[in-house]
C-alpha cells in the first residue's frame, strides 16, 4: 500500500507521515528496518504468500528471532513485533506467529534439544521449512488449548495424538506442525514432520482472508524423538513462549486492522456523495477518526508490551489484557470498515472483506477476549 493512498497533502504541498503506521520515538535505525521489511513485503512479494515468505527470509526475519548462541541476531521483541505488524498489514496468510513461536521454543530447549533440531533451525532460517501450529496458540499463562489430546505409546516410547486443530494460515505449505496437546501427564509439545501417517491437513473454505487449513490427527503415532517436551518442562516452556506469542499475535492483528483502515481512508477519499468526497462529510470523517484513534491506542500498547517483554517486566495478566484489547479492536474496526464501504465491502476479493474475515479467526487464536479479560482481572 503506497503512502499516497493513505495521506493527503497539507497546505504547503508536503505529505505528512502516516500517523497510524509510524511512532515518533522510533529511532532512525528501527525506522529504516521497518521500511526495509515493508518494502520487501509490498514490492517483492508479488502478491502471493510464497513470495512474501521469501521476502521475509531475505530481510533476515528468522534470524531476528534467534538468540546469539543459535547464530541469530537477537534484535529483541520490539523488532519481532514490528515484523508481525508489517506482515499483518501486507495481508498475506503466512504462518508467521506459528514459526516464530516454534523458533522461540526450539531455541530455548538447551540440553533437552534432540539432535535433529540443529538442522531444523538451519532450514527454517533459510526459509525452506515453515512451521504451523494447528489451532490456538498457548494463552499468556501457557495453558494448552483444547482440541488435541495425547497418550503414551507403549510400543515406541512416543505418543499417540487424537483430535482436530485449526484454523491456521496456510498460504505456504508447512514442513512441520508444532502440536500442543493435553494428556494424562499434563501438556505435551510435539513436532510432527509432514507428511505423516495419521495426520491430515484439510483446507478450509477461503472466504477472502487467504488460505486457511485445519489438521486432523487420527491415532497418529509420533516417535519419541519428535516429542520435544511434556509434563512440567512443557508447562514452564509454554508459560515463557505464551507471553511472547500474545505480543506477536497482537502485533499481527494491529497490522490487519491498519490494512482495513488504509482501505477505508482510500475509499472515503475517492467516493463522492452530494457533489463532494465522503471525507468532507462530518459523519464518516469523525467515524474514521475514532477508528484511527483506537488503532493508535493499540499500537502504543503493543509497542510498550514488547519493550516490557525485552526487560522481563511483562506479566501474564498484562499480556492477556493486551491481546483481549487488540482482538476486540480488530473485530470492531474491521466490521465498521465493511459498513463504511457499503455494498462493496461485502465483495469476497476486496481487501476490507478479507481483513474482516481473517480477523474473525485470528482474533481468537490466543483465546476468547471475554476469557482473556477475566484472566487480566484476576492476575497481576
Amino acid at each position: 500500500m503506497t503512502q499516497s493512498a493513505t495521506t493527503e497533502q497539507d497546505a504547503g504541498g508536503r505529505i505528512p507521515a502516516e500517523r497510524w503506521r509510524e511512532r515518533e520515538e522510533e529511532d532512525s535505525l528501527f525506522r529504516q528496518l521497518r521500511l526495509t521489511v515493508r518494502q520487501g513485503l509490498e514490492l517483492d512479494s508479488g502478491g502471493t504468500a510464497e513470495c512474501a515468505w521469501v521476502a521475509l527470509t531475505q530481510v533476515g526475519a528468522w534470524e531476528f528471532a534467534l538468540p546469539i548462541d543459535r547464530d541469530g541476531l537477537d534484535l529483541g521483541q520490539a523488532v519481532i513485533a514490528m515484523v508481525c505488524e508489517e506482515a499483518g498489514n501486507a495481508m498475506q496468510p503466512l504462518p508467521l506467529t506459528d514459526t516464530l513461536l516454534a523458533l522461540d521454543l526450539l531455541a530455548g530447549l538447551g540440553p533437552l534439544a534432540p539432535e535433529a533440531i540443529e538442522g531444523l533451525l538451519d532450514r527454517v532460517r533459510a526459509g525452506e521449512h515453515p512451521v504451523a501450529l494447528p489451532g490456538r496458540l498457548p494463552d499468556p499463562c501457557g495453558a494448552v488449548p483444547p482440541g488435541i489430546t495425547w497418550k503414551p505409546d507403549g510400543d515406541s516410547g512416543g505418543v499417540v495424538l487424537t483430535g482436530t486443530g485449526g484454523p491456521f494460515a496456510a498460504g505456504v505449505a508447512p514442513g512441520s506442525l508444532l502440536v500442543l496437546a493435553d494428556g494424562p501427564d499434563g501438556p505435551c509439545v510435539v513436532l510432527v514432520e509432514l507428511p505423516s501417517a495419521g495426520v491430515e491437513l484439510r483446507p478450509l473454505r477461503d472466504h477472502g482472508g487467504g488460505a486457511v487449513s485445519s489438521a486432523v490427527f487420527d491415532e497418529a503415532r509420533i516417535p519419541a524423538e519428535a516429542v520435544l517436551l511434556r509434563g512440567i518442562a512443557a508447562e514452564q516452556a509454554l508459560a515463557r513462549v505464551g507471553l511472547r506469542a500474545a505480543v506477536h499475535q497482537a502485533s499481527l492483528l494491529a497490522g490487519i486492522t491498519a490494512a482495513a483502515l488504509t482501505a477505508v481512508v482510500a475509499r472515503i477519499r475517492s467516493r463522492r456523495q452530494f457533489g463532494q468526497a465522503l471525507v468532507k462529510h462530518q459523519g464518516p470523517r469523525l467515524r474514521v477518526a475514532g477508528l484511527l484513534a483506537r488503532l493508535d491506542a493499540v499500537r502504543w500498547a503493543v509497542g510498550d508490551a514488547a519493550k516490557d517483554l525485552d526487560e522481563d517486566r511483562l506479566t501474564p495478566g498484562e499480556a492477556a489484557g493486551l491481546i483481549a484489547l487488540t482482538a476486540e479492536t480488530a473485530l470492531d474496526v474491521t466490521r465498521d470498515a465493511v459498513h463504511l464501504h457499503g455494498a462493496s465491502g461485502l465483495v469476497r476479493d476486496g481487501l476490507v472483506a478479507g481483513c474482516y474475515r481473517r480477523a474473525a479467526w485470528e482474533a481468537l487464536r490466543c483465546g476468547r477476549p471475554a476469557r482473556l479479560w477475566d484472566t487480566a482481572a484476576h492476575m497481576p
Side-chain angles (χ1 to χ4, degrees):
M1 284 160 280
T2 62
Q3 191 179 46
S4 60
T6 55
T7 58
E8 61 181 355
Q9 292 185 350
D10 59 17
R14 298 182 301 273
I15 299 180
E18 301 174 18
R19 61 183 296 270
W20 64 92
R21 293 182 61 182
E22 306 292 351
R23 290 182 57 167
E24 292 180 358
E25 83 280 8
E26 290 180 356
D27 58 39
S28 58
L29 182 59
F30 189 96
R31 191 167 294 186
Q32 182 59 47
L33 187 58
R34 178 189 288 275
L35 181 60
T36 301
V37 173
R38 184 182 301 170
Q39 288 179 336
L41 288 169
E42 293 180 355
L43 302 179
D44 300 333
S45 68
T48 66
E50 292 82 1
C51 292
W53 189 266
V54 172
L56 287 175
T57 303
Q58 289 175 342
V59 300
W62 319 123
E63 295 180 358
F64 295 170
L66 287 173
I68 300 296
D69 59 1
R70 292 287 187 174
D71 297 326
L73 297 177
D74 198 11
L75 296 183
Q77 295 304 311
V79 172
I80 303 303
M82 175 271 292
V83 173
C84 292
E85 181 184 347
E86 293 299 329
N89 203 351
M91 273 301 292
Q92 294 294 345
L94 306 174
L96 175 62
T97 54
D98 306 31
T99 301
L100 291 173
L101 188 147
L103 287 173
D104 196 1
L105 194 62
L106 296 175
L109 288 177
L112 298 176
E115 295 181 359
I117 293 303
E118 292 293 337
L120 176 64
L121 288 177
D122 290 338
R123 296 199 303 275
V124 174
R125 183 187 293 111
E128 302 169 355
H129 200 93
V131 181
L133 194 155
R136 292 201 335 233
L137 304 171
D139 70 12
C141 300
V144 172
I148 304 174
T149 59
W150 70 276
K151 61 183 179 180
D153 186 358
D155 297 333
S156 66
V159 298
V160 178
L161 298 178
T162 305
T164 302
F168 60 89
V172 293
S176 299
L177 296 178
L178 185 71
V179 182
L180 309 181
D182 198 11
D185 298 324
C188 180
V189 182
V190 181
L191 190 67
V192 180
E193 297 289 330
L194 295 176
S196 183
V199 181
E200 179 186 2
L201 295 186
R202 293 182 178 175
L204 302 178
R205 186 174 180 181
D206 175 13
H207 290 285
V212 59
S213 295
S214 65
V216 179
F217 301 88
D218 184 13
E219 297 289 326
R221 296 183 178 274
I222 309 301
E225 58 269 20
V227 180
L228 302 181
L229 295 164
R230 69 172 77 179
I232 296 178
E235 290 178 358
Q236 294 174 342
L238 290 175
R240 177 178 62 86
V241 301
L243 286 175
R244 302 187 181 191
V247 175
H248 299 165
Q249 189 68 12
S251 303
L252 182 76
L253 288 169
I256 294 173
T257 307
L261 284 177
T262 298
V264 167
V265 172
R267 172 71 174 179
I268 66 173
R269 284 178 176 162
S270 62
R271 183 72 172 175
R272 298 185 65 82
Q273 191 173 46
F274 302 116
Q276 59 183 351
L278 276 178
V279 72
K280 300 296 184 180
H281 295 274
Q282 188 177 41
R285 186 169 187 165
L286 292 178
R287 190 173 180 183
V288 172
L291 299 179
L292 292 174
R294 292 188 65 180
L295 177 58
D296 270 341
V298 163
R299 294 186 71 244
W300 280 95
V302 171
D304 291 342
K307 291 180 180 179
D308 287 344
L309 197 55
D310 280 329
E311 298 172 5
D312 200 23
R313 296 185 308 189
L314 188 67
T315 66
E318 292 171 342
L322 172 71
I323 189 64
L325 171 67
T326 310
E328 288 185 345
T329 301
L331 292 171
D332 291 346
V333 170
T334 54
R335 180 181 62 245
D336 284 357
V338 172
H339 291 167
L340 285 164
H341 267 67
S344 65
L346 303 176
V347 177
R348 178 181 178 275
D349 295 331
L351 175 60
V352 70
C355 293
Y356 171 74
R357 292 185 172 101
R358 185 171 175 193
W361 61 268
E362 289 279 14
L364 304 180
R365 289 207 75 195
C366 288
R368 294 188 176 277
R371 181 175 176 274
L372 291 168
W373 282 124
D374 185 68
T375 300
H378 292 88
M379 293 194 69

